[in-house]
Amino acid sequence: MIDRRKFLRASVTGAGAVALSGALPMFKAFANAPTDYKALVCVYLNGGMDGHDTIIPHDVPSYTQWSNIRRPLLEAYRAENSDSRERDNLLALSESDQGGRSFALPAELAPLHDLYEAGDLAVVANVGTLEEYITRSTLRTRRKPPRVGSHNDQSAIWLSAKPEGLADTGWGGRMLDLFASGTEAERDLFRAIGVGHDDIFLQGRRTDALRLSREGLSRVRMGQNGYWFGLPLQTMPPILTDHYRDGVVAERANLFERDLVRASRASFDVRDRIEASLNGVADLDPGFDSESVFSMQMRTTLRMIAQNADFGANRQIFMLRLGLFDTHGGQAARLLQNHTTLANALGAFQAGLRQIGLADHVTTFTASDMGRTLVTNGSGTDHGWGNHHIVMGGAVRGGRIIGDIPPPEYGHEQDFGGGRLIPTTSVDEYAASLGRWF
């Protein structure tokens, strides 16, 4: 088990409505921790990323075990003209020794490997949904989360700390509730920001998420080729195009029209404010890929953080999603592309934060529905449970693996069957550690 007393470099008391079951040794202990502005950036890897194919055993005995089990996938990588999973081409992680076992990243994750070696990125091992600590020996006597292996259920628990159907708020939104003004003050509009997606994770009792496109514009748009709630502008009701900026709400006899005009006007005003602010950002593009939707979403997140003073929010939480991790088939091609996309975008994002002097103020972390099986089904893997995640930022105690990575074999105490990992770190602990720093 992890020594959960050593997660933080610096913490503030109380993470809100998440279960404070312990803190992981994730953050540095700064003498003067940033207190004026902090942001969390949740990167959700949609579908269940294969942690076995991301944090790869590197010592010869463990790699041999892993490669024997994963031989069909290694052959698929070779068919894709990729040798990134061959042992000699893996990127070894320093300070990763666990009882003689060591670990590495595949070559596509080179930007993340650089951050790890620089001390700005840590791996958190075997995180997942838990109701209580459990092992293979105690499966019959201890409670498991409902419907392990279900995308919907596990995603709901990951993002809300509640089972599907009961998830009305997320732990990100509940953290932000602690900073809410208690009014409808404009600054509260910019605390929870979904870039490309709305999500329960950002919803609180007193917090609502603002959704931005990858260009940084709110979902309600104006312009010659703009859209209104997904409808072409020319189909927009005249009351909105003619009067949304005029003081004519009271003239509408229909109460629904009044509410629609009022809400739409506010949305357009927010959109214009964001556009004006982002247009004022100096050239800030440390290597984002303009052809990648996810990379452009990360760029928008960076630009919003750079302009945080314009929005008056000293605490912000962002959420982005990168999809296609449900790799039941074609895993080699899909994971090669996803790993490249993820690493390049996160590397550029962290470089940008250093450029604007906010690297210590922003912590980025991954989440995902679940891990995957160690055993292959031929060209892919199936649904698992626990998974390995990364936490990145200047405040992170990087260059280390936090927690224990189970061996690449079957039948050990954290094997749920087929190499599905029974988590040793709960989502609650993961969230609490991030929340305390926040």
Side-chain angles (χ1 to χ4, degrees):
M1 292 294 182
I2 296 169
D3 180 354
R4 293 183 297 276
R5 296 170 296 176
K6 297 181 180 177
F7 200 132
L8 307 178
R9 290 186 186 176
S11 64
V12 294
T13 56
V18 297
L20 290 176
S21 52
L24 309 178
M26 189 186 286
F27 293 99
K28 298 173 186 170
F30 283 120
N32 296 299
T35 56
D36 51 338
Y37 174 79
K38 288 184 181 179
L40 288 172
V41 179
C42 174
V43 175
Y44 197 85
L45 308 176
N46 208 50
M49 187 189 73
D50 187 353
H52 295 297
D53 209 345
T54 303
I55 312 300
I56 299 175
H58 194 237
D59 62 282
V60 173
S62 297
Y63 180 82
T64 301
Q65 282 183 298
W66 176 86
S67 61
N68 285 338
I69 292 172
R70 292 237 150 175
R71 191 165 304 282
L73 282 181
L74 289 175
E75 292 173 355
Y77 280 111
R78 294 179 190 121
E80 294 290 334
N81 296 314
S82 173
D83 57 6
S84 67
R85 268 62 175 178
E86 304 299 328
R87 184 178 180 278
D88 289 345
N89 295 323
L90 294 174
L91 305 174
L93 296 173
S94 61
E95 303 296 328
S96 69
D97 183 87
Q98 299 199 347
R101 294 184 297 125
S102 60
F103 300 88
L105 300 181
E108 301 81 51
L109 296 182
L112 302 187
H113 179 265
D114 291 345
L115 288 166
Y116 179 97
E117 296 301 319
D120 289 337
L121 182 147
V123 173
V124 185
N126 200 15
V127 186
T129 59
L130 284 174
E131 293 195 11
E132 57 184 329
Y133 291 118
I134 195 167
T135 66
R136 186 181 180 91
S137 300
T138 58
L139 280 172
R140 294 178 179 273
T141 58
R142 295 197 174 186
R143 295 169 298 167
K144 298 191 301 293
R147 290 173 288 279
V148 169
S150 159
H151 286 297
N152 290 347
D153 292 277
Q154 296 306 298
S155 182
I157 298 172
W158 251 101
L159 297 175
S160 70
K162 298 180 180 180
E164 187 186 24
L166 299 178
D168 54 352
T169 62
W171 53 266
R174 296 197 295 273
M175 285 180 188
L176 286 169
D177 283 347
L178 297 174
F179 300 95
S181 66
T183 69
E184 294 183 2
E186 189 174 25
R187 66 178 181 275
D188 288 340
L189 294 174
F190 301 99
R191 293 193 184 279
I193 300 174
V195 184
H197 298 274
D198 295 314
D199 206 284
I200 192 68
F201 173 70
L202 295 172
Q203 182 65 45
R205 298 294 181 195
R206 303 160 66 192
T207 300
D208 289 314
L210 175 65
R211 181 178 179 183
L212 302 185
S213 71
R214 60 177 169 173
E215 296 87 3
L217 304 180
S218 56
R219 209 54 175 168
V220 181
R221 299 184 181 181
M222 285 287 283
Q224 182 177 358
N225 298 314
Y227 292 85
W228 174 75
F229 292 109
L231 300 176
L233 193 63
Q234 57 265 33
T235 67
M236 182 186 263
I239 60 168
L240 295 179
T241 54
D242 295 344
H243 303 304
Y244 89 96
R245 288 197 184 281
D246 302 330
V248 296
V249 175
E251 296 178 10
R252 310 310 305 178
N254 186 296
L255 294 179
F256 290 106
E257 288 185 357
R258 292 189 192 184
D259 284 346
L260 188 57
V261 170
R262 186 180 295 109
S264 298
R265 183 194 304 168
S267 296
F268 288 129
D269 288 346
V270 167
R271 185 266 190 200
D272 290 344
R273 179 176 174 185
I274 292 172
E275 184 177 28
S277 179
L278 296 190
N279 284 341
V281 178
D283 185 23
L284 185 60
D285 193 354
F288 290 109
D289 178 4
S290 62
E291 299 300 315
S292 163
V293 172
F294 178 73
S295 192
M296 288 296 95
Q297 290 174 347
M298 291 301 304
R299 179 176 180 266
T300 289
T301 303
L302 175 64
R303 297 173 80 215
M304 288 292 293
I305 289 171
Q307 296 296 91
N308 70 83
D310 282 1
F311 306 118
N314 65 347
R315 292 293 186 277
Q316 290 182 303
I317 298 182
F318 296 82
M319 182 173 181
L320 308 89
R321 283 181 182 261
L322 178 60
L324 299 178
F325 282 96
D326 192 19
T327 49
H328 292 281
Q331 176 161 320
R334 288 166 64 180
L335 202 56
L336 283 169
Q337 180 58 55
N338 266 3
H339 273 168
T340 300
T341 298
L342 177 69
N344 289 345
L346 292 187
F349 180 69
Q350 194 62 26
L353 290 174
R354 286 194 296 269
Q355 185 178 331
I356 61 177
L358 290 176
D360 293 346
H361 297 245
V362 180
T363 296
T364 303
F365 63 96
T366 59
S368 191
D369 321 18
M370 61 192 79
R372 306 194 74 80
T373 56
L374 178 62
V375 67
T376 75
N377 60 24
S379 67
T381 54
D382 296 319
H383 295 178
W385 187 357
N387 206 355
H388 312 315
H389 288 282
I390 64 167
V391 180
M392 177 182 81
V396 171
R397 293 182 66 201
R400 69 194 67 209
I401 296 176
I402 300 166
D404 297 325
I405 297 180
E409 60 191 29
Y410 308 130
H412 56 74
E413 277 298 284
Q414 300 309 131
D415 180 22
F416 190 52
R420 296 172 177 87
L421 298 182
I422 301 171
T424 47
T425 296
S426 71
V427 173
D428 287 349
E429 289 171 299
Y430 192 64
S433 302
L434 294 162
R436 286 180 173 180
W437 172 81
F438 190 64

